[in-house]
Amino acid sequence: MAGTATNYNESVIVVDTIAQIWAGLEIPSTGDILTLDADGTPDATANPDAIHLGHTKEGVKLTIGTSLTKHYVDELAEPIKATVDTTEMMFEGEFLQVMDEEVLKKLTAPFGNYDGSIANTEVFNIGRKALVYDSIALIFQTPMSLDSVTPKFAVAHIYNGLNEAGLSYQVSRKGMAGSPFKFVAYGISSRSATDSVGAYWWQTA
């Protein structure tokens, strides 16, 4: 007889790395992934409209999951089967650059109508509008490569997302104003059911 190896591995614990949120990205074709430059930023040629959304207060929380419907039969107390009810993917955190025009466009996408016609003034008219979804990614250096000469990166990519947290911040003398964000993924019906929401991947070489 022999024991079974344990899997303690400090190198894969995510710590001491910086979360970066990018918007305005191209949606990769089925079977492909977001194209990155060697520095971990979106490739500018493949993603000409990419926008970095700046500083966050405490990084970004990534959530990927499902809700299940359990099915029962009368003869058993426990469920005998489960089916997927919904699939979700989201990024949550707090943006600090609340006076940045590009950040505001993303935070207010469901209700903010940007008007650049008034000279020397940034105007966001608030009201009903046609929803415009955005391709958004969380990119961070993998913990396995923090001490490496050649960094590697992890990517969580929402193909079709909206900020559902609105715009909310406090103006004060002592504290930094920050507005919470909650980018939620919406499925793209024209894509494969196995790749309709987004992707999560990391580089190994």
Side-chain angles (χ1 to χ4, degrees):
M1 297 180 66
T4 303
T6 58
N7 186 32
Y8 297 123
N9 184 357
E10 292 81 4
S11 70
V12 296
I13 296 175
V14 179
V15 65
D16 195 27
T17 189
I18 296 173
Q20 298 193 48
I21 293 286
W22 292 83
L25 304 172
E26 294 299 308
I27 300 174
S29 58
T30 300
D32 206 351
I33 56 176
L34 177 69
T35 305
L36 298 185
D37 187 73
D39 64 2
T41 63
D43 179 78
T45 302
N47 300 275
D49 298 319
I51 299 167
H52 185 248
L53 298 184
H55 289 296
T56 64
K57 186 174 182 179
E58 294 181 343
V60 180
K61 178 182 178 181
L62 165 65
T63 301
I64 305 172
T66 60
S67 62
L68 301 175
T69 297
K70 297 177 181 178
H71 302 278
Y72 297 82
V73 295
D74 188 61
E75 291 75 17
L76 295 174
E78 54 279 340
I80 63 165
K81 187 178 181 179
T83 52
V84 175
D85 189 21
T86 61
T87 302
E88 65 177 12
M89 183 174 183
M90 68 183 74
F91 306 144
E92 297 175 271
E94 185 174 346
F95 284 131
L96 295 177
Q97 295 176 204
V98 296
M99 295 298 291
D100 185 295
E101 173 190 328
E102 299 303 329
V103 173
L104 280 175
K105 286 179 180 178
K106 303 307 176 184
L107 289 176
T108 64
F111 56 84
N113 296 282
Y114 177 70
D115 182 356
S117 64
I118 302 176
N120 303 315
T121 307
E122 303 292 346
V123 179
F124 286 84
N125 295 310
I126 307 304
R128 188 167 181 170
K129 62 175 291 188
L131 294 179
V132 179
Y133 301 90
D134 203 353
S135 176
I136 305 163
L138 162 65
I139 303 175
F140 60 94
Q141 187 175 349
T142 63
M144 300 84 81
S145 72
L146 288 178
D147 297 325
S148 173
V149 175
T150 306
K152 304 291 187 294
F153 298 91
V155 177
H157 188 182
I158 290 175
Y159 298 149
N160 213 33
L162 276 176
N163 174 46
E164 295 187 359
L167 176 66
S168 175
Y169 64 86
Q170 180 174 335
V171 179
S172 72
R173 180 178 61 84
K174 295 182 179 179
M176 289 189 296
S179 186
F181 63 86
K182 183 180 180 181
F183 289 109
V184 177
Y186 288 79
I188 302 176
S189 60
S190 60
R191 294 178 70 92
S192 165
T194 61
D195 185 36
S196 62
V197 174
Y200 176 48
W201 54 272
W202 59 92
Q203 298 170 332
T204 58

